[in-house]
Amino acid sequence: ESGGLNSCDSFPTSELQVQVGVETLRQQIPRCFWQRFLEVVRVKKTMAKRDCPYTLINVIGGIDGIYEDHVEFLEKHLKLITMQEFLENQQDLSQKIEAIYMWFKKPEATRELLQSLPNLKVIANSGVGVDHLDLKLISSFGVKVANTPFAVASPTADLGIALLMASARRIVEGYQIAVSPDTKHFNADWLGEEINGATLGIIGMGTIGYKVAQRAKAFEMKILYHNRHQRPVDEERAVSAVYCQKMEDLLQQSDFVILTVTLTPQTRKLIGEKELELMKPTATLINVSRGQVVDQDALVDALQNGVIKAAALDVTYPEPLPRDNPLLKLKNVIITPHIGSATVKSRRLMMMSMVESILDGVNGLPISNEVHG
C-alpha cells in the first residue's frame, strides 16, 4: 500500500508493518478507522509531493510536552516547531505554520495565537474532549478542529469498569489494610459488594458508554442507559441494554451509575443534589467524563451523609484537587489522576490519528474526526 509515498504526505505503512505488524495493527484500530487509513493512503498516492507541513507544538518532553518516543514518527510527517522557536522567529514562521498539534491542551489556541498564524488550517487535539477550545472562535478564522475518539474509547471504558470493581470490592481500603504495620489479622466481616447481577446505569451512551456496556455485559450486569438519542434496537440487544428516556428513572434503579458524557453547557453539573438524592443509599457514582459534570460540593455532602454509598472518580475539578479538598479525606472515595486514556497503545494511536488529521487538513481532504462547533 505504501510504494512511492512521500512520508510527509501520508503514513508509511511499511514502517508500521515493521513496528507492530499489519495484522496486529488491524486488531488495534477499529475497522472504520483502518478502512479510513487505507483510503487516505490510496488517495495520497495520487497527490503531488509536498514538504512536511510546518506544525506548531508546545515542547518536546517534560510534563506538558509531546512524548520523546513519538518524535521520530512525527518528524517523518510534520515539520515540528516548538512555541519557543515560534516566538523567537515569529516573523518568518507565522506564514509557514499550517497546523497546531495540541497535545493535552498545549499550545493554547488563543485569539492572539490564531491571529498570528494566517495560514493555519487545522488544529489536531489529543483526546475526545474539546471543552478547552473556543470552537466558534477557531472556526471564525477558517480553521478546522479534529479530535481522537477511537484512540481513547477502549482504555477509558476499561478504567470505568476498573473503578467500579475497585469501589465495589473496596480494593484500595483492602490494600491499605494488607500493608499497614498495625494489621495483625484480617477481619472476616470486612466485606464488599458483587457486581454480578447488579444494575449499572450508563449516562451518555456514545462510543465510550457503549464500550462500558459491552464490558458490563460480560459481568452479567443489568444495563440501563440514558442518552440524548436512543440507540438502534440491534445495538441495545447486543449488550442487553434498556433505554431510560428520563435520567431520573435510571438513577432510582441503578446500583452503579457511570458518567460518560461530553462536557457541554447542558451537562455541566448534570449530577447535583437533586440527582444524588434520587440514587439508592447503597449506590456508587463513577465519573470518567469531566469533573464539571458533577456538583462536587453536593457530592461531598452526599458521601458524608450517606445519601449514596461511594464514588470513584477519574476526573475532578480542578485537576489536581487542592490538597485540603474534603474529597481527598473520605474513605468511601477513590480518585485517580485522569488516566482514562493513559496507556502506551492509546497514546500512540492518538498521535497517529492527530498526524492523519493534520495531513488531511493541510491537503484539503475531509477530516474523519473533525469536530463541529
Side-chain angles (χ1 to χ4, degrees), residues 320-332:
L321 289 171
R323 296 300 88 183
D324 61 350
N325 189 287
L327 278 174
L328 301 179
K329 298 175 174 62
L330 296 176
K331 290 185 177 181
N332 54 345

Side-chain angles (χ1 to χ4, degrees), residues 75-321:
E75 288 185 336
K76 291 182 178 179
H77 307 284
L78 311 173
K79 173 65 174 175
L80 301 180
I81 305 296
T82 67
M83 276 298 297
Q84 183 175 347
E85 291 170 332
F86 171 67
L87 294 174
E88 291 175 350
N89 194 18
Q90 185 169 341
Q91 185 173 357
D92 178 53
L93 293 174
S94 62
Q95 298 290 329
K96 296 179 179 180
I97 291 173
E98 297 181 90
I100 294 177
Y101 184 93
M102 186 175 287
W103 191 247
F104 292 91
K105 304 182 182 181
K106 299 289 182 68
E108 296 181 20
T110 62
R111 179 182 292 275
E112 181 182 8
L113 180 61
L114 294 171
Q115 288 174 336
S116 69
L117 301 174
N119 295 314
L120 184 66
K121 295 181 176 66
V122 59
I123 297 174
N125 174 70
S126 61
V128 177
V130 292
D131 47 281
H132 57 288
L133 294 174
D134 187 335
L135 296 178
K136 290 184 179 179
L137 172 66
I138 294 169
S139 178
S140 71
F141 284 88
V143 177
K144 296 182 178 181
V145 173
N147 62 356
T148 61
F150 294 121
V152 306
S154 289
T156 303
D158 289 346
L159 184 69
I161 293 295
L163 287 171
L164 186 157
M165 295 182 68
S167 183
R169 298 305 302 271
R170 302 170 66 185
I171 288 176
V172 175
E173 292 178 76
Y175 167 78
Q176 293 169 343
I177 291 171
V179 302
S180 172
D182 300 324
T183 298
K184 305 302 180 184
H185 62 275
F186 296 153
N187 295 338
D189 62 350
W190 191 87
L191 305 174
E193 301 290 341
E194 291 190 29
I195 67 171
N196 180 276
T199 299
L200 172 63
I202 302 172
I203 298 179
M205 195 64 141
T207 304
I208 295 173
Y210 194 78
K211 286 183 176 292
V212 168
Q214 290 174 322
R215 287 150 177 75
K217 183 184 179 185
F219 289 102
E220 300 177 351
M221 300 186 79
K222 299 173 184 176
I223 301 170
L224 307 176
Y225 77 97
H226 172 73
N227 201 46
R228 286 179 299 173
H229 306 290
Q230 185 172 357
R231 283 267 187 171
V233 174
D234 59 333
E235 293 181 2
E236 291 181 332
R237 288 175 179 168
V239 293
S240 303
V242 176
Y243 179 62
C244 293
Q245 186 172 7
K246 295 182 178 179
M247 186 174 69
E248 292 79 4
D249 294 338
L250 178 148
L251 294 172
Q252 291 173 332
Q253 298 178 62
S254 300
D255 299 303
F256 299 90
V257 174
I258 186 165
L259 305 174
T260 55
V261 297
T262 301
L263 179 62
T264 66
Q266 292 72 36
T267 61
R268 191 176 298 272
K269 292 191 176 181
L270 180 68
I271 302 298
E273 180 181 1
K274 174 186 172 183
E275 289 74 26
L276 291 164
E277 289 179 350
L278 288 173
M279 294 173 64
K280 298 178 181 181
T282 56
T284 297
L285 179 70
I286 301 104
N287 189 5
V288 292
S289 57
R290 285 291 187 271
Q292 298 97 315
V293 171
V294 177
D295 182 336
Q296 284 184 171
D297 292 335
L299 178 60
V300 169
D301 290 340
L303 291 165
Q304 290 176 332
N305 297 312
V307 176
I308 64 172
K309 183 177 182 178
L313 314 171
D314 184 47
V315 289
T316 59
Y317 184 76
E319 292 176 349
L321 289 171

